[in-house]
Amino acid sequence: MPSSVTALGQARSSGPGMAPSACCCSPAALQRRLPILAWLPSYSLQWLKMDFVAGLSVGLTAIPQALAYAEVAGLPPQYGLYSAFMGCFVYFFLGTSRDVTLGPTAIMSLLVSFYTFHEPAYAVLLAFLSGCIQLAMGVLRLAHISPHPLGLGGAGTSSMSPLGWPGFLLDFISYPVIKGFTSAAAVTIGFGQIKNLLGLQNIPRPFFLQVYHTFLRIAETRVGDAVLGLVCMLLLLVLKLMRDHVPPVHPEMPPGVRLSRGLVWAATTARNALVVSFAALVAYSFEVTGYQPFILTGETAEGLPPVRIPPFSVTTANGTISFTEMVQDMGAGLAVVPLMGLLESIAVAKAFASQNNYRIDANQELLAIGLTNMLGSLVSSYPVTGSFGRTAVNAQSGVCTPAGGLVTGVLVLLSLDYLTSLFYYIPKSALAAVIIMAVAPLFDTKIFRTLWRVKRLDLLPLCVTFLLCFWEVQYGILAGALVSLLMLLHSAARPETKVSEGPVLVLQPASGLSFPAMEALREEILSRALEGAWAGVKVPVLRVLLSADLKGFQYFSTLEEAEKHLRQEPGTQPYNIREDSILDQKVALLKA
């Protein structure tokens, strides 16, 4: 395992720190653009074994999740599988993290449902356009994202090219904003599956209407779906706890112990596939008897998806919708979807790179995501990004290189070609259980305690983002970013000032002195002066203060003299003196 880290680390050591004048055709430049060239020459049989086990584990997780996330996106189930394999093959060549897996995720599926109106043509076109935007950002090296102080990033950032100055704007989407969005998404996605868990039908998709109609029609709950859904959730929870608490296998253990623990590890890692298969078997058993108490997934299109260009127009019963009209319909989704795909995937890559002690190239990751979405649109994929859950499975399975993704991709293709007829019997309540258990960790309760302890003011953008995302996702993210920006501007205009009193009074702003802070600093100096702390100030100190051009500043040798000036009419007080008299006052004071 350590050797895999070394190989991948060598591939990236010349990436971010590489001089801009390096030849684009040099071996180091080729390794940076095609990271596979760094680790493939050192590939070993031991790596192959570990990658195969990891790829198989991720594949058994990806297939049921893909079917479930298609439901979140409001698309037929096969579109989840169409979106689950292209990233595996692209990342094999272009990825800089051995752990990351690209594919459909809960958050991206939620965004797709918002902006594509549950129309597959819109979803596929959104994948193509998002890929173009992300690919352009990667080519222009706009993926400069600093690690967040609370641990979102961590493995180092890519250097910024001269064209990369807009990348710093992404840093204004702060960690509290991202946490507010992901927590709201977890609530929205999780509650959206309650209707499938309880067997309720014809529930509207807008969140607030969904909440209202779910509680209004709770009496219509189907007992079979509710019982099966709760049992599936309980099984998933138990298997997850077993996975977290099973001790690792050591070579010195007896063969029987190693075998039993290996079987437990395999079962708990592939818990989604096991639970969904169990539910499908139960549903099929009832189908044989002629009584079906569950709502089933139903028909899934068989076979591999056709390769074709994305739909640039759609023909409906009311006429043809042109490309321009489709773009206008998607609106803010063309900005929100690529941006959130970028943030989610790079955050996942950096988190695991930091955990496993290697580095990633953010711009190269962006190229991989963009090309995945562009090529995926040719096989009817909707937008994808890095999956935290499947990446965790990949890392825990001992993956050594991105080659593990090949096994996952092949497994998804085989399921499309041979298993789609079996998907008919999967109950929707079982898929709802898979989704709810997958998104539950996204609701981070610890962040509230952390921010309360570290910086309570950061709870403001978090709460603003969290609440507004239930209305519209783009408004929540934009409002949270604006609140964070206003907080930064306030700290620049009203910096904390460190005051050291003694023979010489020193006022030291905590941050650099900028023009919005001049008025506040002037008032601070005047208030300190009127407290009597300025009696006996030496001329060199006064000269430094006057050189800062603090408009209206005046020095008094005694407190009585200052109080005398304060009792004058407001129009004649020292800090309201005329501009043309400031220079004379400075000269007089310096001569004192």
Side-chain angles (χ1 to χ4, degrees):
M1 183 69 69
S3 58
S4 66
V5 177
T6 303
L8 292 174
Q10 290 172 351
R12 281 177 290 283
S13 61
S14 60
M18 192 175 181
S21 58
C23 176
C24 63
C25 296
S26 66
L30 287 176
Q31 284 187 1
R32 191 175 73 249
R33 290 304 179 200
L34 285 173
I36 185 178
L37 298 178
W39 55 264
L40 190 59
S42 305
Y43 202 75
S44 66
L45 188 62
Q46 176 66 20
W47 289 6
L48 176 62
K49 184 180 77 169
M50 299 298 292
D51 287 343
F52 180 81
V53 172
L56 191 63
S57 302
V58 174
L60 293 176
T61 303
I63 292 172
Q65 281 192 346
L67 294 170
Y69 289 150
E71 164 66 25
V72 176
L75 301 174
Q78 66 268 20
Y79 281 88
L81 295 172
Y82 293 166
S83 307
F85 65 85
M86 184 59 73
C88 301
F89 301 125
V90 172
Y91 203 80
F92 171 73
F93 295 98
L94 301 181
T96 61
S97 168
R98 71 171 188 263
D99 299 307
V100 168
T101 61
L102 300 181
T105 66
I107 290 178
M108 290 304 291
S109 300
L110 177 67
L111 294 176
V112 168
S113 72
F114 282 157
Y115 296 114
T116 62
F117 322 107
H118 315 145
E119 287 289 340
Y122 276 87
V124 173
L125 181 60
L126 181 58
F128 175 76
L129 296 178
S130 297
C132 291
I133 294 170
Q134 291 167 335
L135 199 59
M137 292 176 68
V139 170
L140 296 177
R141 299 185 63 79
L142 303 186
H144 172 74
I145 302 179
S146 300
H148 286 281
L150 294 177
L152 182 62
T157 58
S158 58
S159 60
M160 244 189 347
S161 70
L163 292 175
W165 67 267
F168 87 97
L169 295 175
L170 297 177
D171 292 336
F172 285 98
I173 303 179
S174 63
Y175 187 70
V177 172
I178 294 175
K179 278 296 182 181
F181 164 71
T182 54
S183 297
V187 174
T188 303
I189 295 169
F191 196 88
Q193 293 306 307
I194 296 296
K195 63 179 185 295
N196 290 329
L197 194 72
L198 302 180
L200 302 178
Q201 294 180 307
N202 300 320
I203 301 293
R205 295 188 75 93
F207 179 74
F208 294 109
L209 290 176
Q210 197 172 84
V211 173
Y212 173 74
H213 284 278
T214 298
F215 284 106
L216 182 67
R217 302 170 59 181
I218 196 74
E220 302 176 15
T221 299
R222 295 168 59 101
V223 177
D225 285 298
V227 171
L228 182 63
L230 293 175
V231 168
C232 288
M233 288 182 63
L234 182 61
L235 287 174
L236 289 170
L237 179 60
V238 170
L239 291 172
K240 182 181 185 302
L241 293 176
M242 289 177 61
R243 176 70 177 84
D244 294 339
H245 292 88
V246 170
V249 177
H250 297 292
E252 61 273 12
M253 291 180 176
V257 175
R258 279 189 293 168
L259 177 61
S260 61
R261 289 191 177 178
L263 291 175
V264 171
W265 175 86
T268 54
T269 300
R271 57 185 177 273
N272 288 329
L274 284 179
V275 169
V276 169
S277 300
F278 160 75
L281 185 61
V282 171
Y284 180 75
S285 300
F286 277 101
E287 185 79 14
V288 171
T289 64
Y291 171 70
Q292 187 55 265
F294 313 120
I295 298 176
L296 305 180
T297 298
E299 294 289 344
T300 301
E302 295 185 10
L304 302 178
V307 178
R308 57 192 176 194
I309 62 172
F312 293 102
S313 63
V314 177
T315 302
T316 65
N318 297 325
T320 300
I321 303 175
S322 66
F323 172 73
T324 304
E325 292 172 325
M326 294 178 73
V327 170
Q328 291 174 347
D329 290 339
M330 287 185 284
L334 293 175
V336 174
V337 171
L339 176 63
M340 294 313 300
L342 157 68
L343 291 175
E344 187 177 1
S345 187
I346 294 183
V348 170
K350 285 187 175 182
F352 282 88
S354 177
Q355 176 182 317
N356 296 322
N357 196 29
Y358 62 88
R359 298 183 65 193
I360 60 106
D361 184 343
N363 286 290
Q364 184 65 24
E365 291 293 301
L366 190 51
L367 288 174
I369 302 168
L371 193 60
T372 294
N373 281 321
M374 282 188 64
L375 296 180
S377 68
L378 301 179
V379 289
S380 302
S381 166
Y382 66 81
V384 301
T385 186
S387 166
F388 190 91
R390 294 192 296 277
T391 298
V393 171
N394 212 20
Q396 293 165 0
S397 302
V399 71
C400 295
T401 70
L406 292 181
V407 181
T408 302
V410 169
L411 199 61
V412 173
L413 290 175
L414 289 175
S415 69
L416 273 169
D417 213 14
Y418 298 106
L419 301 180
T420 48
S421 59
L422 302 179
F423 296 156
Y424 177 93
Y425 298 101
I426 297 177
K428 286 191 174 183
S429 58
L431 294 179
V434 169
I435 295 173
I436 292 173
M437 297 303 295
V439 301
L442 291 178
F443 189 83
D444 189 358
T445 56
K446 295 180 181 178
I447 186 64
F448 293 94
R449 295 195 299 269
T450 301
L451 292 180
W452 183 263
R453 186 177 65 253
V454 176
K455 188 178 180 182
R456 296 177 183 179
L457 192 59
D458 277 343
L459 287 170
L460 182 59
L462 186 148
C463 293
V464 167
T465 306
F466 178 77
L467 294 175
L468 287 182
C469 277
F470 291 118
W471 177 30
E472 288 285 350
V473 171
Q474 65 269 25
Y475 295 154
I477 297 172
L478 182 60
L482 287 177
V483 170
S484 297
L485 182 59
L486 288 175
M487 290 166 54
L488 289 176
L489 293 176
H490 181 269
S491 63
R494 298 293 183 270
E496 294 183 5
T497 305
K498 180 181 179 182
V499 180
S500 302
E501 297 191 19
V504 177
L505 182 65
V506 178
L507 276 78
Q508 182 181 2
S511 58
L513 186 61
S514 55
F515 74 90
M518 296 299 295
E519 184 67 20
L521 185 58
R522 184 179 74 87
E523 294 295 333
E524 179 76 11
I525 293 175
L526 288 176
S527 64
R528 292 286 177 174
L530 296 179
E531 290 174 3
W534 285 81
V537 171
K538 304 300 182 182
V539 171
V541 177
L542 186 61
R543 187 189 302 274
V544 172
L545 288 171
L546 292 173
S547 66
D549 194 21
L550 299 174
K551 183 175 67 174
F553 173 78
Q554 189 169 1
Y555 167 69
F556 302 102
S557 59
T558 65
L559 183 60
E560 290 75 14
E561 185 180 350
E563 292 175 342
K564 178 181 177 181
H565 279 267
L566 276 179
R567 288 193 293 270
Q568 295 176 3
E569 293 296 326
T572 60
Q573 288 182 6
Y575 43 82
N576 286 320
I577 57 178
R578 300 190 310 275
E579 294 282 350
D580 55 5
S581 67
I582 293 176
L583 182 59
D584 294 337
Q585 292 175 11
K586 288 184 180 180
V587 173
L589 286 168
L590 291 174
K591 289 180 179 179

